[in-house]
Amino acid sequence: MGEKWVLMKTAQTPTNIAVIKYWGKRDESLILPVNDSISVTLDPSHLCTTTTVAVSPAFHQDRMWLNGKEISLSGGRYQNCLRELRRRACEVEDKEKGIKIEKKDWEKLHLHIASYNNFPTAAGLASSAAGFACLVFALAKLMNVKEDDSQLSAIARQGSGSACRSLFGGFVKWIMGKEEDGSDSVAVQLVDEKHWDDLFIVIAVVSSRQKETSSTSGMRETVQTSLLLQHRAKEVVPKRTLQMEEAIKHRDFASFAQLTCADSNQFHAVCLDTSPPIFYMNDTSHKIISCVEKWNRSEGSPQVAYTFDAGPNAVLIARNRKAAAQLLQRLLFHFPPNSDSDLDSYVIGDKSILKDAGLEGLKDVEALCPPPEIKENAAAQKYPGDVSYFICTRPGRGPVLLSQQDLALLDPETGLPK
Ligand SMILES: Nc1ncnc2c1ncn2[C@@H]1O[C@H](COP(=O)(O)OP(=O)(O)OP(=O)(O)O)[C@@H](O)[C@H]1O
Ligand SMILES: C[C@@](O)(CCOP(=O)(O)OP(=O)(O)O)CC(=O)O
């Protein structure tokens, strides 16, 4: 193996948002949760990670570049994923290029990894979920790992818990498992993305000045101090998970919305029950909840579900396009862009919904009337600048390999970033 060949694979992997939250570990190093969780995978056209992985006898060490900058792979989470994958790597042969890698060679060969998130990293948009899922998926293909996607999810889980759910599209359940070695703590697909394709998702990226507590340290403090977490994990989530699975199976939006909102609120209640208390939502998050609650109540049945992760951003799941258009009218009434931004950069992703909402320019936003359910003048206030931007998207598919060479992030000759 003296030659200077480079073998590469490129994959694209979505992010996901939990509707039944994972919060709390029973094993910190294997990343084993205290309860099951359920998520919806988001359309990778709007939020995804692309990762190219390469192997070559010419590489002297494992190296990784994230969004163009070299980062260290020495952290335990990266090391655990790499070790688990190398252990399962199989023989690879590329007859065209005259390359043959034996199973035992993988222990000695080094890897180059380049990854790019098409959305802000570490901004509360679950970059670690898409990122670790993509790393594991791409390397498993390069190394000819024979395990199925659920088994791969148990490796991604060791990078970041929520990453295990990004190995599938549609609705996904992370089964907490019982085994001490974590072998049964895996993700499974409940239904694919076509099962409930009426749903439409709007993410309000809320401006936030404070530095937040990371999920990892936040959930550690909750496990150590919150009694409410024990009640949640033992009594609430097991029943709620079953109800959520039924709601998804039958496309029962009323139950789905009720369970999603209740679980988000309980997760934030558990954060508040932590000592010292953790505040992830801010005033803007609270205003969005109140706007959705008022509208849902006035309609007599839920039009939109809200859920918030470890940060102030709102993920709003509308029952269909019509509800999403009406939601956007309400959101843009209360949270118009600052005078210096334009609608095109303020609402991104699947912009076609703007047309449904009759919003083709800033003039239309300025002309919006207060939502009819608002009775008091005080509730019809506008807060320009409180939302940074909106992302419009839908439930989406799981990871895929990209075959086009031009989408690779590493140079096929040198194995270095392009
Ligand atoms: N594309 C990627 N490939 C591999 N690792 C990544 C990638 N993107 C992010 N990460 C890892 O995830 C870390 C960011 O995770 P963090 O939990 O702080 O933010 P987030 O996932 O964007 O937000 P949140 O968990 O609050 O939703 C990065 O520092 C990096 O270690
Ligand atoms: C609030 C959450 O988003 C928490 C996600 O936590 P992470 O998966 O980021 O934490 P680690 O396992 O420590 O990496 C809820 C969820 O996604 O289920």
Side-chain angles (χ1 to χ4, degrees):
M1 273 203 322
E3 319 95 295
K4 296 290 177 229
W5 51 262
V6 176
L7 198 63
M8 297 200 319
K9 291 275 184 230
T10 300
Q12 193 183 62
T13 300
T15 177
N16 72 78
I17 175 80
V19 291
I20 301 289
K21 304 289 184 195
Y22 147 54
W23 195 255
K25 298 181 183 72
R26 62 179 202 279
D27 184 314
E28 285 262 348
S29 61
L30 285 170
I31 311 198
L32 301 176
V34 295
N35 56 252
D36 291 346
S37 55
I38 295 182
S39 60
V40 56
T41 298
L42 304 181
D43 188 343
S45 339
H46 309 125
L47 294 164
C48 75
T49 294
T50 304
T51 301
T52 300
V53 291
V55 62
S56 167
F59 298 165
H60 299 298
Q61 53 173 345
D62 292 342
R63 295 177 75 181
M64 172 158 183
W65 295 264
L66 175 56
N67 300 321
K69 268 181 70 182
E70 181 152 17
I71 63 161
S72 163
L73 281 172
S74 63
R77 290 170 172 220
Y78 287 111
Q79 286 302 314
N80 289 348
C81 291
L82 293 175
R83 186 194 60 242
E84 294 301 315
L85 287 159
R86 281 199 164 101
R87 201 175 273 170
R88 292 167 176 80
C90 294
E91 184 183 299
V92 172
E93 190 167 11
D94 186 326
K95 287 207 169 105
E96 225 169 87
K97 291 188 179 158
I99 302 168
K100 187 159 181 187
I101 306 173
E102 306 282 354
K103 189 174 167 59
K104 60 172 177 22
D105 295 337
W106 286 109
E107 291 299 331
K108 300 184 299 258
L109 285 166
H110 293 292
L111 301 161
H112 281 187
I113 303 163
S115 188
Y116 173 76
N117 300 324
N118 73 348
F119 60 94
T121 300
L125 292 170
S127 67
S128 57
F132 278 102
C134 206
L135 180 87
V136 169
F137 184 81
L139 282 173
K141 300 296 164 203
L142 180 76
M143 298 173 152
N144 192 20
V145 171
K146 300 277 190 345
E147 263 87 347
D148 65 25
D149 288 345
S150 270
Q151 287 163 311
L152 291 186
S153 80
I155 304 178
R157 189 200 75 225
Q158 296 175 57
S160 178
S162 52
C164 73
R165 299 185 311 239
S166 273
L167 261 301
F168 298 95
F171 282 90
V172 183
K173 180 179 177 182
W174 173 11
I175 302 166
M176 63 179 285
K178 289 194 210 72
E179 301 298 334
E180 267 184 34
D181 66 358
S183 54
D184 59 349
S185 188
V186 298
V188 293
Q189 186 177 55
L190 295 175
V191 293
D192 71 15
E193 61 280 16
K194 289 187 251 4
H195 169 77
W196 200 351
D197 71 348
D198 285 350
L199 299 179
F200 200 95
I201 298 166
V202 179
I203 304 172
V205 180
V206 172
S207 323
S208 117
R209 263 148 254 107
Q210 318 130 261
K211 178 103 185 93
E212 293 139 24
T213 314
S214 76
S215 298
T216 306
S217 62
M219 68 176 84
R220 184 182 305 131
E221 286 161 22
T222 301
V223 168
Q224 286 164 355
T225 62
S226 168
L227 284 178
L228 184 55
L229 179 74
Q230 295 178 27
H231 172 68
R232 166 176 166 75
K234 282 202 192 75
E235 308 294 336
V236 181
V237 177
K239 292 188 196 99
R240 204 173 260 169
T241 304
L242 292 175
Q243 292 168 337
M244 181 60 93
E245 284 185 59
E246 282 300 296
I248 291 168
K249 192 164 140 201
H250 300 292
R251 299 185 204 91
D252 173 356
F253 190 80
S255 302
F256 172 79
Q258 189 269 323
L259 294 164
T260 299
C261 299
D263 202 69
S264 173
N265 289 332
Q266 189 178 65
F267 153 51
H268 290 277
V270 157
C271 291
L272 210 56
D273 190 49
T274 300
S275 177
I278 307 168
F279 308 99
Y280 283 125
M281 293 196 284
N282 65 16
D283 278 358
T284 309
S285 319
H286 295 150
K287 282 175 195 140
I288 294 173
I289 293 182
S290 151
C291 164
V292 171
E293 289 280 358
K294 268 191 198 132
W295 180 33
N296 281 346
R297 206 158 318 134
S298 76
E299 292 283 340
S301 65
Q303 302 301 303
V304 173
Y306 55 81
T307 186
F308 295 78
D309 273 352
N313 301 338
V315 179
L316 303 159
I317 308 176
R319 65 184 313 149
N320 52 32
R321 268 191 88 89
K322 184 170 168 227
Q326 292 174 326
L327 169 68
L328 212 51
Q329 289 169 341
R330 284 167 170 80
L331 291 171
L332 287 171
F333 171 80
H334 291 295
F335 305 102
N338 267 331
S339 47
D340 55 354
S341 49
D342 58 276
L343 196 55
D344 206 42
S345 52
Y346 194 57
V347 179
I348 62 170
D350 182 353
K351 290 170 194 273
S352 66
I353 198 74
L354 278 173
K355 202 159 185 213
D356 293 30
L359 301 168
E360 303 212 32
L362 281 183
K363 287 260 169 314
D364 300 322
V365 174
E366 282 156 22
L368 281 168
C369 297
E373 63 271 14
I374 291 182
K375 302 284 181 303
E376 337 81 73
N377 276 342
Q381 277 190 34
K382 291 174 180 260
Y383 307 94
D386 279 11
V387 170
S388 302
Y389 56 98
F390 292 99
I391 306 170
C392 299
T393 187
R394 292 168 44 81
R397 62 163 159 70
V400 289
L401 270 183
L402 302 178
S403 50
Q404 302 104 291
Q405 276 291 342
D406 55 328
L407 296 178
L409 303 173
L410 294 170
D411 183 290
E413 304 294 324
T414 62
L416 290 168
K418 279 182 176 171

